[in-house]
Amino acid sequence: MAVPVSQAWTVATYVLKQKLKGRKRYPLVLMLEPLFRCNLACAGCGKIQYPAHILKSELTPEECFKAVEECGTPMVSIPGGEPLLHPQMPEIVAGLVARKKYVYMCTNALLLKEKLHLFKPSKYLSFSVHVDGEKEHHDFSVCREGGHDIAMEGIRAAVAAGFRVTTNTTLFDGADPNSVRRHFDQLMAAGVESMMVSPGYTYDKAPDQNHFLGKAKSRRLFRAILSNRKKSWEFNTHPLFAEFLMGKQNFECTPWGMPTFSIFGWQKPCYLLQDGYADSFQELMETTNWENYGAKSGNPQCANCMVHSGHEASAVDYNFGSLKGFIETAKRYMFPSTYPDAEAEKLLNEWKPAHAMPLVQIQGANGTTNDQLQPVSGD
Amino acid sequence: MATEQQEHLKIEQLRVHSADELETIAGREKENLEGWIPTLATDAEIREALEKAFDYRGDVTITRKDGSKVEGYLFDRRSGATLADSFVRIIPVADKTKVNVVYADIAAIAFTGRDTAAGKTFEAWVKKYWEKKAAGEKNIQIEPEKLD
Ligand code: SF4
């Protein structure tokens, strides 16, 4: 089981309650962004591009707790920025744990080892460490040599101290499925509870605008990665969302499934798109024109999106929305498949890496064109 | 939300292909807006300039018709039926409050702050990486900018 039974039970009863109340739109995970500043400056990430006075601002613990209560989800994810740079992060996490919220604190883990003593292990707290692949891939993606080693050290220290540790890997064009599979082996060997993997989004603030995976390529990549999977791999994504990535399911976006709250307020409509802000969760739900988002809407910004923040909640909703969905999901949990697939095996064997080791093999100094420089991943 | 002009590469690509079949999707075209002072002669120009200001990742300075100024990060805009019903929301440089400015009260807007998104491409990073490598540097990285 990729998550503790108590967590699965809490989420299931929460969703059933929403269904019984007849709520058509309900949130599942709050994405709480208490600050935007970061101790990395990844070339693939546009999240930290704000003026200094914005990067210096942060939510107070009280503002965080108010948002969590307004929204009411059983799970709270804390992305950023780098949450460990927030001086009151231990207080924020402790307050959420006291409220019995399942917290996923997303971190690049550069500070994890040194700040670990400020947190207490709990079934409600998981460090979700962003590791974008094997050493060279991760270091390239975060634009920092040695970043991977520090993150892995942080993971091992947190596991040794008794914390729940999960990981998050985002893939962009140029990702090598064989390398990603080796990366999964390394993470499981380091003792992580479970892993998440997701395609990057064509984020219009990302400094690199040339390497976004299209849907066709995403599906092929995820089919190669997630088919014929090892029994030792544990994922903390909904099994039907993983099938969606592999091209075996089709889900429309549920942009309200993972609402985002930051110093600007409640972000319309989702974690990725910024189309304005609401001052309360209720205002967000009532004033957002939800029909303008998702692939079906024709909005070009949503056309390519397959990310978990928009589509995993759809898988969960399908799971609880009909007997068919419930039975399908129950089967996936009771008899987990390794997704045997000879075609995917062939894909893997024939996959030509765009670059085996990006940092050492990029020949920028002696004439390689920019077109050949393909980042493997990013935020 | 980017304007149609900023999104045009993606829009062009989607006009000819279905997103489901695309191998690689186009990004967006970036405009160099730093230092821009748009003319605000018509309602359409005002709306377009404020849409771009909303998308801009630096501070802007708004001069109201009464002569007062507000400089800060424009994080939201609410577009109503008329300019009197529409307003932008700003976090001023020197204070954490959120200030609303009605479109109809705006005399001028200038993109005065540095565009924090400019010049930070993978290509720029790779170039710098190789320069540093050639100079024998170890533990090469992009450092986040100092905030003080
Ligand atoms: S498809 Fe959904 S999650 Fe993706 S960008 Fe659009 S609204 Fe956001």
Side-chain angles (χ1 to χ4, degrees):
Chain A
M1 190 76 182
V3 293
V5 174
S6 61
Q7 181 175 338
W9 177 252
T10 304
V11 174
T13 48
Y14 166 81
V15 176
L16 281 170
K17 261 188 217 155
Q18 306 304 311
K19 291 273 171 201
L20 289 173
K21 278 185 195 160
R23 281 179 83 183
K24 203 172 134 226
R25 296 190 181 115
Y26 59 90
L28 191 63
V29 183
L30 166 62
M31 310 285 271
L32 181 65
E33 287 188 299
L35 80 176
F36 289 116
R37 69 180 177 277
C38 191
N39 46 4
L40 284 173
C42 312
C45 173
K47 276 267 170 191
I48 59 162
Q49 291 167 354
Y50 289 106
H53 67 104
I54 297 296
L55 292 179
K56 281 194 247 179
S57 299
E58 54 206 19
L59 293 174
T60 63
E62 292 66 37
E63 286 169 322
C64 293
F65 302 147
K66 184 169 173 272
V68 167
E69 261 140 39
E70 260 187 73
C71 181
T73 56
M75 291 187 284
V76 179
S77 174
I78 309 181
E82 169 51 49
L84 288 174
L85 291 178
H86 193 305
Q88 287 161 297
M89 191 46 59
E91 194 182 327
I92 293 171
V93 167
L96 298 180
V97 166
R99 286 166 175 79
K100 296 190 170 22
K101 299 292 177 185
Y102 285 92
V103 178
Y104 283 86
M105 207 200 72
C106 305
T107 173
N108 58 36
L110 292 183
L111 293 170
L112 187 55
K113 201 173 159 191
E114 81 181 62
K115 300 235 173 184
L116 215 45
H117 68 282
L118 301 172
F119 299 89
K120 264 204 348 234
S122 158
K123 69 174 182 179
Y124 291 107
L125 170 63
S126 170
F127 291 114
S128 172
V129 181
H130 206 123
V131 199
D132 275 341
E134 289 189 292
K135 184 176 165 60
E136 298 264 354
H137 290 248
H138 178 80
D139 285 0
F140 183 69
S141 131
V142 301
C143 303
R144 176 175 174 149
E145 284 185 333
H148 181 271
D149 291 350
I150 304 174
M152 292 305 289
E153 226 180 286
I155 288 177
R156 286 191 200 97
V159 169
F163 286 95
R164 293 179 59 199
V165 181
T166 56
T167 57
N168 186 353
T169 301
T170 310
L171 302 177
F172 277 48
D173 192 23
D176 171 2
N178 288 296
S179 170
V180 175
R181 290 170 65 95
R182 287 194 300 270
H183 168 60
F184 288 166
D185 287 338
Q186 289 161 2
L187 293 176
M188 294 312 302
V192 310
E193 175 185 292
S194 55
M195 309 173 289
M196 193 172 84
V197 57
S198 187
Y201 168 70
T202 49
Y203 187 50
D204 67 14
K205 298 293 186 298
D208 177 60
Q209 289 287 312
N210 302 319
H211 300 105
F212 296 119
L213 281 169
K215 276 186 175 166
K217 215 167 177 180
S218 287
R219 291 193 190 104
R220 207 163 54 242
L221 177 69
F222 281 95
R223 186 176 171 194
I225 295 171
L226 297 174
S227 300
N228 309 304
R229 65 179 70 166
K230 296 193 183 169
K231 290 214 169 80
S232 57
W233 294 351
E234 292 284 0
F235 293 100
N236 61 353
T237 40
H238 193 281
L240 295 179
F241 172 67
E243 291 184 9
F244 164 72
L245 294 177
M246 295 159 78
K248 295 177 190 296
Q249 300 279 348
N250 197 14
F251 292 117
E252 262 299 308
C253 170
T254 303
W256 53 86
M258 300 191 189
T260 302
F261 183 75
S262 70
I263 58 161
F264 299 134
W266 294 92
Q267 185 169 326
K268 294 180 181 184
C270 71
Y271 179 61
L272 299 157
L273 280 191
Q274 281 169 297
D275 204 1
Y277 289 85
D279 289 328
S280 69
F281 179 70
Q282 196 180 346
E283 184 193 331
L284 170 84
M285 296 305 280
E286 287 170 2
T287 63
T288 307
N289 295 321
W290 299 110
E291 60 285 358
N292 292 349
Y293 305 102
K296 242 192 194 160
S297 71
N299 185 334
Q301 303 211 70
C302 295
N304 186 47
C305 179
M306 294 180 80
V307 301
H308 90 284
S309 59
H311 297 86
E312 188 159 15
S314 316
V316 174
D317 192 59
Y318 174 70
N319 175 171
F320 290 99
S322 67
L323 192 59
K324 185 170 169 262
F326 188 78
I327 292 171
E328 263 185 60
T329 309
K331 267 198 217 154
R332 305 292 192 285
Y333 278 113
M334 283 193 296
F335 313 104
S337 173
T338 56
Y339 296 91
D341 183 341
E343 187 61 32
E345 185 79 48
K346 196 163 162 261
L347 259 178
L348 263 183
N349 292 334
E350 290 170 2
W351 200 280
K352 287 200 181 43
H355 44 79
M357 291 186 284
L359 276 181
V360 292
Q361 290 202 347
I362 289 170
Q363 307 272 313
N366 50 15
T368 307
T369 63
N370 285 342
D371 294 339
Q372 287 166 273
L373 308 175
Q374 296 197 333
V376 289
S377 52
D379 199 334
Chain B
M1 180 102 158
T3 62
E4 183 149 338
Q5 186 193 345
Q6 288 159 333
E7 284 296 321
H8 110 260
L9 289 178
K10 225 182 284 179
I11 292 169
E12 281 305 304
Q13 192 184 23
L14 291 168
R15 270 195 189 125
V16 233
H17 300 283
S18 140
D20 279 342
E21 285 150 23
L22 283 174
E23 293 282 311
T24 309
I25 189 138
R28 73 195 303 234
E29 224 166 45
K30 287 195 169 150
E31 284 185 291
N32 183 5
L33 295 171
E34 196 175 310
W36 188 46
I37 303 175
T39 49
L40 304 180
T42 65
D43 285 12
E45 278 178 346
I46 294 170
R47 287 183 187 278
E48 172 80 8
L50 292 169
E51 201 62 34
K52 287 188 179 181
F54 167 64
D55 195 54
Y56 187 59
R57 285 292 175 118
D59 287 328
V60 297
T61 303
I62 288 183
T63 308
R64 296 189 189 90
K65 286 180 178 157
D66 66 5
S68 62
K69 284 183 192 261
V70 51
E71 182 195 358
Y73 186 72
L74 192 156
F75 72 98
D76 193 14
R77 81 298 183 225
R78 304 270 174 93
S79 194
T82 66
L83 295 189
D85 293 337
S86 309
F87 59 95
V88 287
R89 307 174 76 199
I90 295 176
I91 296 183
V93 173
D95 118 49
K96 270 184 84 177
T97 51
K98 294 173 181 171
V99 173
N100 291 358
V101 184
V102 175
Y103 283 22
D105 292 342
I106 297 174
I109 178 166
F111 291 63
T112 42
R114 183 174 58 85
D115 182 355
T116 60
K120 291 177 178 157
T121 61
F122 255 110
E123 285 73 18
W125 146 243
V126 171
K127 187 169 172 282
K128 198 178 281 169
Y129 174 81
W130 280 107
E131 281 164 9
K132 290 187 171 196
K133 194 92 181 161
E137 268 188 53
K138 295 254 179 319
N139 292 324
I140 303 167
Q141 60 175 296
I142 308 183
E143 298 259 14
E145 291 174 29
K146 298 265 175 293
L147 296 182
D148 295 317

